[in-house]
Amino acid sequence: MPHNIYLNDAQLCSYIKPGDGFDTHKDLENDRDGRFRRLTLVLLLSNSFQGCEFLANGVDVNLKIGEAIVFDAAKVEHEVKPLISGERFSLVLGLFWRVDPWLLLLDRDGVLNQDVGRPGVIRAEQFKPFPAVEKQVKRWIQAGHYAAIVTNQKAVDRGLLSRKELDDIHQVWIDTSFGGKQNSPFLDIYVATKEPFLKPSPHLILRAIKATQSFTDNIGLRTILIGDSDTDLESAFHSGLDCALLVTSSHHGQSCFARTHPTQEKVGQKFSIQQQPRIHSAADLTNALARDHRTLASNLVFQAEEKSIPVTAVFPDAAIAIQTCLEHIENY
């Protein structure tokens, strides 16, 4: 995977007063503009001091003048003990990399959160995100990628809740799970409430892609959609996406899976989804992306022609799908 790697954040650290030091801590993983800190270099520039030992994970590194340590400051606890006498100087350099970002698009009900059935989530207490999916979305964003929810919410058009009430439900989730929009700039939510913007229209997906491209210099933004229904996959198809993942964590996903991967040829047979092979590793996903694009016969007719919708891979839930995609991307 190509990266833009560069040195930045150079600091001259001086400890000149007795008691100067740095408490045990870990650094933040990424800065405000999406750079991802991978390694930190500490070069000792003086040796005429007592105290001020540099500890990594509780172990004294015992640096000599002109020696350096390189470590992952976001994962390794480190500290500088209080200065006793003399003066200690060191040069600290941050090694950053900027990933070529991917955009992850998630359907909402049945993928991100529990599907409560019709008419959908109309009260805040009904919105219950899957903890494992939340965890993987956070990992995805922390790795420098973008994520967006693309969801049909026809209950608004039916008057069952207002658009403000829907937006408030989403905002409470972002505030509670991601620390507010200011701490999750790479996460957005796109909602369609009525035709012609509802999926399977490509409107939501194309809108999310356009918005993401507006603040990234990656012209060839690669996009993955994870959904649990025909309309999700059809929307991906009409948006020109190369990667559409189906999850079977809802009854919609199970039904869609049965039509996509029939285990028997009898028309009308209730197909079992339990015996189907699933993709669990980066190698499996790599192979699927390269040559195992299955198709789902569309129930809709476009321009008087029946369409076949590509399905790249099938997963039991979005958490496993996102985790596997991350593994694939990191080993790309």
Side-chain angles (χ1 to χ4, degrees):
M1 176 180 176
H3 310 91
N4 297 320
I5 304 177
Y6 51 96
L7 286 170
N8 202 353
D9 198 26
Q11 301 178 40
L12 178 64
C13 295
S14 59
Y15 304 85
I16 57 178
K17 297 179 181 179
D20 283 354
F22 219 111
D23 292 338
T24 302
H25 69 288
K26 293 181 181 179
D27 291 359
L28 296 176
E29 289 200 14
N30 48 318
D31 66 5
R32 291 182 180 178
D33 73 349
R35 291 177 302 171
F36 187 70
R37 181 192 295 271
R38 296 299 294 178
L39 295 173
T40 296
L41 181 147
V42 177
L43 172 66
L44 187 63
L45 301 177
S46 65
N47 62 359
S48 58
F49 61 87
Q50 289 184 322
C52 256
E53 299 89 349
F54 182 84
L55 275 63
N57 280 340
V59 177
D60 185 357
V61 179
N62 195 26
L63 289 176
K64 307 299 182 184
I65 187 170
E67 294 181 343
I69 179 175
V70 178
F71 65 105
D72 188 341
K75 296 181 180 179
V76 176
E77 288 189 343
H78 51 287
E79 64 178 308
V80 177
K81 290 294 187 179
L83 178 69
I84 297 175
S85 63
E87 296 180 340
R88 180 189 189 275
F89 298 95
S90 61
L91 180 66
V92 178
L93 290 172
L95 175 63
F96 292 88
W97 67 336
R98 187 192 297 278
V99 300
D100 289 336
W102 288 60
L103 172 60
L104 174 69
L105 301 176
L106 291 169
D107 179 44
R108 200 192 76 170
D109 302 320
V111 178
L112 171 69
N113 59 284
Q114 297 178 21
D115 188 345
V116 299
R118 294 183 179 177
V121 173
I122 58 176
R123 298 188 305 275
E125 61 269 22
Q126 293 178 304
F127 186 67
K128 299 178 180 179
F130 297 115
V133 177
E134 281 188 331
K135 178 180 178 181
Q136 294 302 324
V137 171
K138 291 176 183 176
R139 283 190 60 216
W140 178 269
I141 294 173
Q142 288 169 356
H145 303 296
Y146 299 88
I149 312 303
V150 286
T151 177
N152 289 349
Q153 294 299 321
K154 293 184 282 187
V156 173
D157 191 49
R158 294 170 181 164
L160 299 176
L161 80 166
S162 69
R163 180 56 190 263
K164 182 181 184 306
E165 289 172 327
L166 177 63
D167 291 342
D168 287 346
I169 290 173
H170 292 155
Q171 189 59 54
V172 169
W173 171 61
I174 290 178
D175 290 345
T176 302
S177 299
F178 293 87
K181 183 62 179 176
Q182 69 277 11
N183 292 319
S184 54
F186 299 162
L187 174 64
D188 283 300
I189 299 178
Y190 299 90
V191 177
T193 62
K194 59 184 178 181
E195 299 289 358
F197 308 112
L198 297 168
K199 294 178 290 183
S201 162
H203 171 77
L204 288 178
I205 291 178
L206 296 180
R207 192 175 146 208
I209 292 174
K210 183 178 180 180
T212 304
Q213 286 178 329
S214 69
F215 49 84
T216 175
D217 56 5
N218 183 34
I219 298 175
L221 183 70
R222 291 162 293 182
T223 305
I224 298 170
L225 176 122
I226 300 178
D228 69 339
S229 68
D230 303 38
T231 56
D232 292 327
L233 301 176
E234 288 163 4
S235 183
F237 173 78
H238 294 295
S239 303
L241 298 190
D242 293 326
C243 188
L245 308 181
L246 174 67
V247 295
T248 57
S249 48
S250 70
H251 69 280
H252 295 296
Q254 294 172 12
S255 176
C256 188
F257 180 87
R259 293 192 299 279
T260 310
H261 300 70
T263 56
Q264 300 189 33
E265 295 181 358
K266 292 183 179 180
V267 176
Q269 174 70 39
K270 183 177 180 180
F271 303 123
S272 168
I273 69 168
Q274 301 301 321
Q275 300 176 353
Q276 298 303 315
R278 294 195 175 101
I279 295 175
H280 294 291
S281 68
D284 292 339
L285 182 57
T286 300
N287 291 334
L289 289 171
R291 54 184 168 77
D292 193 21
H293 293 255
R294 303 175 187 271
T295 59
L296 167 68
S298 171
N299 292 328
L300 301 182
V301 175
F302 299 92
Q303 298 178 350
E305 292 183 6
E306 185 176 354
K307 300 293 183 180
S308 292
I309 308 304
V311 182
T312 307
V314 181
F315 295 89
D317 58 57
I320 295 176
I322 298 170
Q323 180 181 351
T324 306
C325 286
L326 271 175
E327 293 173 354
H328 168 74
I329 291 170
E330 290 170 355
N331 289 282
Y332 183 73

